[in-house]
Amino acid sequence: MPAHVVAAYSHVATDVYGLDALVADLLAAEAGSEQPAMGTQPLEQARQQRAPAAQRQNAIALRHAEKVLRAIPEQRFGQSTDPREPRWWQLGYHSPASFPAVCAIAARNRVHTTPVLLAGFAVALCRLTGTGVAATRLMVNNRFRPGFASSVSPLAQSCVAAIEVADSTFDEVVARAWRALTLAGRHSYFDPNEMAELVAAVGRERGADLHVDVCFNDRRRTHLTQTDADPAAAGRPGTLRWERPLDNYDHTAFFHINDVPDAFDYLLCADTHRVSPAEMEAMVRCVEDVFVSAASSDSRKNHDHRFSVIQRKILIVRRNHVANV
């Protein structure tokens, strides 16, 4: 008899929350207990998406996206000074010091930790690109919509957002991040083909290459609301890890928050033809530095859109080290 079963699934078929629904169904069948309520399945979703209510939702989401697309900076990423093959690299950063800092900032602003994490990413992204507005896509699971909680299907989509960072205190950026996340929840259910056409059309109208392939994804689940931070963690150093590079990926940069206790664990996947490995390291360290600095005081505004002197030194010192990874 086999001791283990290994299952692989494609995001074309379902997302992680749909997999949860499938597992719950299988476990109930194995135990002989009552089957969970079946969510709206893909064929029914397709039928509903043609209905007037869904078409109105789609139109509203597209209007919101168009407004954002007209507000974001034009081309933000040039050519990397250190392109690699395979092209897409993944850098993990385990940051114990971020955890008490983020929890303190969240308590001060009376929000949960996701807006704080998004605000830190927005500041780091602006310093990387030299802009005052962070343009990123925000991943939304869409499971809060009627009938979708237990659907075995891919429902997650991303909503484009623009978060102003320039000449702002960090708490002001947190407030804007909270609003961006709220709007993303409302406007993250749309026809992806129509959205792609809209991005292309606005880009042609502006005569610019709009980079909307930068994503932020808080994929914590079990530790999403944990706030009991150990103050001693503030002095613990972070740990970098380079993970397996990828030959193919569909984003310039993708910033994940992993689900771990008592720390924040970041995973940055980036196109080294646009973002060098040294810039990747500077970026994840910048996120941590922003939190630690903002936890003690929110009086300093983000006047400098570039990496700090220390972070720029990292770019120089680490180049030779990364070359040997």
Side-chain angles (χ1 to χ4, degrees):
M1 294 292 292
H4 299 85
V5 174
V6 178
Y9 70 96
S10 168
H11 273 303
V12 175
T14 188
D15 54 34
V16 67
Y17 293 93
L19 185 64
D20 284 347
L22 177 61
V23 170
D25 189 56
L26 293 174
L27 291 176
E30 182 182 32
S33 57
E34 183 179 351
Q35 295 290 305
M38 180 178 293
T40 307
Q41 298 305 303
L43 186 60
E44 176 61 18
Q45 289 174 31
R47 187 192 68 78
Q48 291 179 2
Q49 287 166 359
R50 296 186 178 187
Q55 290 297 309
R56 286 194 296 272
Q57 164 67 38
N58 182 59
I60 292 170
L62 292 173
R63 285 199 297 272
H64 171 74
E66 182 177 5
K67 181 179 178 180
V68 175
L69 290 169
R70 296 189 185 285
I72 64 176
E74 297 179 0
Q75 182 172 337
R76 296 172 291 156
F77 297 94
Q79 295 300 312
S80 165
T81 58
D82 189 16
R84 300 299 185 92
E85 296 295 338
R87 180 166 175 169
W88 284 268
W89 280 30
Q90 299 187 93
L91 175 61
Y93 188 60
H94 188 78
S95 174
S98 291
F99 192 70
V102 169
C103 289
I105 297 167
R108 185 173 72 212
N109 287 274
R110 298 181 180 180
V111 296
H112 56 88
T113 53
T114 299
V116 181
L117 291 164
L118 173 57
F121 172 67
V123 171
L125 181 61
C126 283
R127 291 181 183 175
L128 171 68
T129 58
T131 60
V133 176
T136 183
R137 287 186 174 273
L138 307 178
M139 297 302 300
V140 179
N141 64 39
N142 277 320
R143 295 282 162 172
F144 52 84
R145 300 183 185 279
F148 285 179
S150 56
S151 175
V152 182
S153 59
L155 288 167
Q157 288 187 281
S158 59
C159 180
V160 65
I163 302 171
E164 186 177 351
V165 169
D167 297 327
S168 305
T169 67
F170 189 69
D171 281 6
E172 289 171 339
V173 181
V174 170
R176 292 169 192 148
W178 180 87
R179 175 172 170 77
L181 287 163
T182 303
L183 290 172
R186 291 182 57 190
H187 302 303
S188 60
Y189 193 52
F190 51 80
D191 183 326
N193 293 324
E194 291 187 26
M195 184 64 72
E197 291 171 1
L198 175 65
V199 172
V202 175
R204 287 193 299 270
E205 182 180 323
R206 293 183 61 182
D209 180 14
L210 300 180
H211 285 154
V212 292
D213 59 347
V214 175
C215 282
F216 172 89
N217 182 27
D218 185 354
R219 53 188 183 189
R220 295 174 299 154
R221 301 168 73 189
T222 58
H223 301 100
L224 185 61
T225 58
Q226 182 186 358
T227 57
D228 51 338
D230 178 6
R236 295 173 190 159
T239 306
L240 286 168
R241 65 184 186 277
W242 290 101
E243 301 193 359
R244 179 177 60 89
L246 305 172
D247 291 310
N248 294 288
Y249 202 63
D250 56 355
H251 292 84
T252 294
F254 210 126
F255 190 75
H256 297 283
I257 311 295
N258 290 324
D259 196 358
V260 301
D262 305 320
F264 284 114
D265 192 85
Y266 312 126
L267 179 64
L268 174 62
C269 181
D271 178 0
T272 62
H273 290 210
R274 297 293 185 91
V275 183
S276 72
E279 287 172 327
M280 292 174 66
E281 179 177 344
M283 188 172 182
V284 296
R285 290 189 183 278
C286 176
V287 172
E288 180 185 67
D289 291 346
V290 166
F291 293 145
V292 172
S293 175
S296 58
S297 173
D298 184 52
S299 60
R300 184 170 59 86
K301 293 188 177 240
N302 292 297
H303 293 294
D304 188 0
H305 307 149
R306 301 164 297 174
F307 286 132
S308 68
V309 172
I310 294 176
Q311 289 153 359
R312 289 197 295 273
K313 286 181 179 178
I314 290 173
L315 290 177
I316 297 170
V317 172
R318 291 290 184 178
R319 252 182 237 283
N320 293 332
H321 170 70
V322 172
N324 297 319
V325 172

